[in-house]
Amino acid sequence: MDLRFGIRMLLKAPGFTAIAVLSLALGIGANTAIFSLINAVLLKMLPVAEPQHLVSLTDPAAAGAAIGISNGVRDLLTTREFEGLRDRTQVFSGMLAVESNLGTNEVAIDGQPEQLKSRLVSADYFSVLGAKTIAGRVFTAADDHGAGTAPYAVASYGFWQRRFGGSPAIFEKTVRANNAALRIIGVAEPQFHGEAVGAAPDLWIPLAMQPQIMPGRMWLTDSAEHPFQKVMWLGVIGRLKPGMALEKAQANVNVVFQQILAEEFAKLPQADFKEAIKQSLKLHSVANGLSPMRGEFTQPLYVLLAIVGMVLLIACANVANLLLARATARQKEMGIRLALGAKRSRIIRQFLTESVLLSVLGGIFGVLIAIGGVRVLLRMVQSGPDTIVLDVTPDWRVLLFTTGASLLTGIVFGLAPAWRSVQVNVSSTLKEAGRGMTGSRSKLGLGKCLVVAQIAVSVLLLIGSGWSVRTLQNLEHVDLGYQRDNLLMLNLDPLSAGYQGPRLASLYRDLASRFRRIPGVRSVAYSGNGLFSGSDSGVPVDVEGFKPRKKGDENSRFDHVGPNYFSALGVPVLLGRELGEQDNEKAPRVCVVNEALAKAYFG
């Protein structure tokens, strides 16, 4: 009866209903949109079998590759370390390894070049995760007989649909990637995008194909001339045996890891040996997947959720004011009801029913707004060079959040008007023919308070928005330390083309000389890290007379650069000179330091 009467009352005032529903839909929709992103990035479980049993032995946020030895808790592992842990640990029912860096490679399909994202994974990747295919099969350990013996690939569902329209012809194609000719043998399920949130490979390729996929890099055999030159490039995930506690697994893993390190560094001098084995592994639950993007997006997402929460409060105050005005107009009706013996609690319940109806309608339309809003937000996030793929399909968490937000909103903005509606003097109300003068001062006072609250919260949001816009404007004009105008950058991978040692240096010099002869080119330089980005190279620096005050003070990042690097970028050299053609492999070893390092080490 309450629902039927409430629907009739809302239909009798279509203008009021439309404004109230629209206000709530915007507020609830904004909150649902942001929560959908939070759910996709932080909360949603991996679409694999029993993801709660998956743990990472490496840093879930680590990416790229590191060379040398990293003391303390390790971020990544070498191939040899992964294989040793896989064969010796007793706490996992299976282990897998993945290339920590999702690369974009140029491949050829039917002779046509294409840019695809691929990830090298161990042979038992799919079996350990429990991921299945929608067509074909996955590769397994039975397909791996050593380096270069598994020329297979599993394609993502998105790539299958985008490139082949879902046709089975995909299984007849050969994908050429550098020196590898790969046959696609399976297509992953639509909901499976890999173990890393936000990264969606087009192809998964067996780890055994690393020498062919990445020629010039012998990372699979881990054949460094010196232990301090080994390459750490793998993220490792294990599936715990049933009933296995994380603490027990942690202890077993580190015992085995220390044994592997002791064998690896056995030939080092005693002092270097003790330093080299100061390493450990920390296990992390990865039921929600690995995610290098979580550290970047977690705080901004929660800030956005707080902001849209304030927007919802403004919408609630707005609708509460509308309901107060409506309750004032219905005072005669309330007086007659009370005079006929209706209980105040019964009238309050009826008002709350109407407000919850409004909020439910707002929630329904809010979900529609959220679906479009999430797509807009994703397009904004994906506007950069790295595409981020998130599964923002509403699941039970999003629906529960929207339902809870709708019901709570209905109660919050409906309670005060419902309580005020029964605070009438029956005799006065009936005598004055429902002009509603009795108690109007208190209603007006509550309405004023709600208006003041709306304005206060709106001003806070406007100030915050103004600061954000000002910050963005400042970032656009920040001094980056080099001249950005007319500056072009291109990336090269000469190792994959077979250039090493002296040939590599000769190639760089020859390319720079040729580029300088192009009309319109004023200067040319080259570096390992590009414009101060890319590889996170770093080493401890030992300066005579300098004593570090805390751990990390002795570390410094570096870059390998070619001649005239600073003048080409327009970076001023404050003291001394920049590196030139004379600084070759036969000249004394020199470097250029930045002002911050000079002050830190030399005062």
Side-chain angles (χ1 to χ4, degrees), residues 43-56 128-131 192 194-195 237-240 284-290 397:
L43 305 178
K44 187 171 286 189
M45 305 279 276
L46 282 177
V48 298
E50 299 181 326
Q52 67 274 14
H53 294 155
L54 296 175
V55 294
S56 173
V128 173
L129 286 180
F192 181 73
E195 78 297 333
I237 295 176
R239 178 175 287 276
L240 293 172
H284 310 265
S285 173
V286 288
N288 306 107
L290 306 178
R397 291 186 185 86

Side-chain angles (χ1 to χ4, degrees), residues 239-579:
R239 178 175 287 276
L240 293 172
K241 290 181 178 179
M244 179 61 63
L246 187 65
E247 295 76 13
K248 183 178 180 180
Q250 173 89 56
N252 178 258
V253 165
N254 274 304
V255 168
V256 175
F257 188 52
Q258 286 294 314
Q259 294 172 354
I260 294 172
L261 293 177
E263 294 170 4
E264 183 177 4
F265 301 134
K267 296 181 179 179
L268 290 180
Q270 188 65 19
D272 291 340
F273 176 83
K274 291 182 178 180
E275 185 67 24
I277 63 172
K278 291 180 180 178
Q279 303 178 60
S280 62
L281 298 176
K282 181 176 176 57
L283 272 58
H284 310 265
S285 173
V286 288
N288 306 107
L290 306 178
S291 183
M293 62 183 291
R294 282 199 182 117
E296 181 180 356
F297 288 104
T298 297
Q299 185 175 354
L301 283 174
Y302 281 126
V303 170
L304 280 175
L305 187 62
I307 290 173
V308 296
M310 295 173 72
V311 172
L312 182 57
L313 288 177
I314 294 174
C316 288
N318 187 41
V319 175
N321 263 330
L322 292 174
L323 286 175
L324 276 176
R326 196 158 181 263
T328 303
R330 296 173 65 183
Q331 276 194 343
K332 181 180 178 181
E333 174 195 339
M334 297 303 107
I336 293 174
R337 287 187 174 208
L338 291 170
L340 291 175
K343 294 182 179 180
R344 296 180 187 272
S345 60
R346 179 71 178 77
I347 296 175
I348 290 175
R349 191 179 75 185
Q350 178 59 49
F351 267 82
L352 285 178
T353 300
E354 293 178 20
S355 64
V356 169
L357 271 173
L358 284 173
S359 65
V360 169
L361 289 172
I364 292 172
F365 286 101
V367 169
L368 300 178
I369 293 174
I371 292 173
V374 167
R375 291 174 180 172
V376 172
L377 288 171
L378 281 179
R379 279 198 293 268
M380 293 172 62
V381 172
Q382 294 173 352
S383 61
D386 297 323
T387 303
I388 298 174
V389 178
L390 292 175
D391 181 10
V392 292
T393 305
D395 60 5
W396 65 268
R397 291 186 185 86
V398 176
L399 296 178
L400 183 63
F401 175 85
T402 305
T403 302
S406 301
L407 295 177
L408 184 61
T409 298
I411 295 172
V412 167
F413 73 71
L415 192 58
W419 178 255
R420 288 297 187 186
S421 67
V422 298
Q423 303 303 306
V424 297
N425 187 304
V426 176
S427 59
S428 299
T429 302
L430 295 178
K431 283 179 182 179
E432 303 211 9
R435 287 180 291 180
M437 298 301 295
T438 304
S440 61
R441 289 182 180 274
S442 62
K443 293 182 181 63
L444 190 60
L446 180 59
K448 284 183 176 180
C449 290
L450 288 172
V451 171
V452 169
Q454 278 184 277
I455 294 174
V457 177
S458 299
V459 168
L460 284 175
L461 287 176
L462 285 173
I463 292 173
S465 300
W467 283 344
S468 298
V469 171
R470 183 65 179 271
T471 300
L472 288 173
Q473 290 176 339
N474 292 339
L475 286 174
E476 287 184 352
H477 299 92
V478 69
D479 183 9
L480 299 178
Y482 59 89
Q483 297 177 5
R484 296 179 291 181
D485 297 335
N486 302 320
L487 193 63
L488 302 179
M489 182 174 72
L490 59 89
N491 296 317
L492 300 174
D493 185 10
L495 287 178
S496 296
Y499 288 89
Q500 293 183 358
R503 293 185 63 210
L504 200 58
S506 176
L507 171 69
Y508 288 138
R509 287 193 291 265
D510 183 47
L511 284 175
S513 176
R514 294 190 184 196
F515 288 155
R516 290 190 189 99
R517 294 198 293 269
I518 298 175
V521 173
R522 189 170 63 189
S523 59
V524 176
Y526 48 90
S527 81
N529 291 347
L531 289 173
F532 316 110
S533 63
S535 176
D536 189 15
S537 304
V539 292
V541 176
D542 184 14
V543 177
E544 184 178 359
F546 176 80
K547 294 182 179 180
R549 285 169 291 187
K550 62 180 186 297
K551 187 176 180 180
D553 278 358
E554 72 280 7
N555 289 334
S556 177
R557 295 182 180 181
F558 68 90
D559 192 7
H560 293 105
V561 302
N564 308 314
Y565 173 79
F566 297 98
S567 59
L569 267 61
V571 177
V573 178
L574 303 181
L575 293 172
R577 65 173 179 87
E578 71 171 320
L579 302 174

Side-chain angles (χ1 to χ4, degrees), residues 1 77 79 150 157 179 248 269 332 434 456 501 520 539-540 569:
M1 289 174 60
L77 294 176
T79 307
Y157 181 82
N179 297 336
K248 183 178 180 180
K332 181 180 178 181
V539 292
L569 267 61

